[in-house]
Amino acid sequence: MSAPATPASPAPSWTTGTTPNRFAALPAGRLGRLGGRLMRLLNRGQQREVLALLAAGEVDGAVEVVEVGPGPGALLGLLTARADVRRVIGVEPSVDMRALAIRANAAAIAAARLEVRPGDAATTGLPDGCADVVVSVNTVAIWPDLDSGAGELRRLLRPGGRLLLSWHGGRAPSRAARPLLLDEATLGRIETALRRRFDTVERTMTRRCTVFDARVARATRLDPNPPAR
Ligand SMILES: C[S@@+](CC[C@H](N)C(=O)[O-])C[C@H]1O[C@@H](n2cnc3c(N)ncnc32)[C@H](O)[C@@H]1O
């Protein structure tokens, strides 16, 4: 059976109310493949900054990581290269990005350290509590619905789990990223959506990224309908 194609008429994003573009937001076709290759170069520093945050956190033993919206798969490669990461699953809605990510990480896939599968932030198709870490870089403002995505990523985490949700920003955003920066009201909405579901949420500014670092307590019960705070 062939992999599902990138959705033909994607839903508008919750931040702009417009359909994600085919270049970088939901890459498709020739233009999308070009966008994917550019992202691999331009966002490389951001992937490393997010990985450094992950490495700085306490991790007990080998972890299982889900990356949502990996695009061309640069961070998937960095994650699978780490000895403290047992297995990585990339969930990506764009068929063209999945193809780039699979090609770039063929050895890790052959070694059963990586799986790249179709899905999106609201519908990963993965079971409850399958991950110690969920990471997503430069996708949150593109999602159609913030709450559906936040709830789904929380559902994937085990007790003690951690979500790193990153967007362009940080202390010194690049010139290319400046038009993409989110205003404080939008960042505040992300933080509120996470606080409804996670036990702690911190906002961290790296050089190029604004990262929401959200954690699940070690012993916790998942409330599917959390009260608004
Ligand atoms: C700007 S690219 C970022 C790619 C990569 N994470 C990076 O930082 O270079 C956005 C990625 O999010 C994916 N995407 C779009 N809509 C999504 C959604 N609703 N859920 C998850 N990923 C989505 C796109 O297909 C694309 O791969």
Side-chain angles (χ1 to χ4, degrees):
M1 201 176 77
S2 61
T6 307
S9 42
S13 99
W14 71 273
T15 52
T16 63
T18 60
T19 304
N21 68 62
R22 295 164 62 88
F23 176 60
L26 188 55
R30 237 166 130 174
L31 185 65
R33 289 191 291 278
L34 173 65
R37 292 192 184 95
L38 278 175
M39 271 184 253
R40 193 180 276 155
L41 291 175
L42 295 177
N43 296 343
R44 193 193 310 244
Q46 292 186 41
Q47 318 295 348
R48 292 194 182 282
E49 290 176 14
V50 172
L51 188 72
L53 284 182
L54 176 59
E58 351 55 82
V59 169
D60 296 338
V63 296
E64 292 180 308
V65 182
V66 173
E67 183 183 1
V68 175
L75 182 55
L76 294 176
L78 295 173
L79 286 164
T80 53
R82 290 185 62 91
D84 55 359
V85 171
R86 188 184 328 138
R87 190 156 174 269
V88 182
I89 300 175
V91 176
E92 168 57 57
S94 157
V95 67
D96 293 287
M97 291 305 97
R98 289 199 298 276
L100 289 184
I102 287 168
R103 200 173 318 144
N105 294 288
I109 292 170
R113 304 235 316 127
L114 172 65
E115 180 190 348
V116 177
R117 50 184 289 151
D120 60 35
T123 321
T124 61
L126 296 171
D128 291 358
C130 63
D132 305 289
V133 172
V134 174
V135 60
S136 194
V137 182
N138 299 332
T139 74
V140 61
I142 303 166
W143 301 349
D145 187 76
L146 175 61
D147 280 301
S148 308
E152 175 73 352
L153 302 196
R154 166 66 184 84
R155 186 184 68 75
L156 300 182
L157 284 165
R158 301 185 177 119
R162 184 176 182 199
L163 168 68
L164 289 173
L165 190 59
S166 176
W167 186 256
H168 303 279
R171 298 186 303 272
S174 67
R175 186 186 294 242
R178 278 179 218 154
L180 303 170
L181 298 183
L182 299 176
D183 62 22
E184 183 49 39
T186 306
L187 293 170
R189 283 180 66 187
I190 297 172
E191 195 163 324
T192 301
L194 297 177
R195 283 195 190 285
R196 287 182 65 203
R197 297 172 170 84
F198 287 80
D199 296 292
T200 63
V201 179
E202 272 177 42
R203 206 190 295 187
T204 300
M205 308 289 265
T206 65
R207 183 159 176 265
R208 299 286 206 213
C209 307
T210 298
V211 187
F212 294 92
D213 187 343
R215 304 203 190 210
V216 182
R218 287 196 184 270
T220 190
R221 194 171 56 81
L222 179 61
D223 180 353
N225 298 303
R229 275 189 202 158

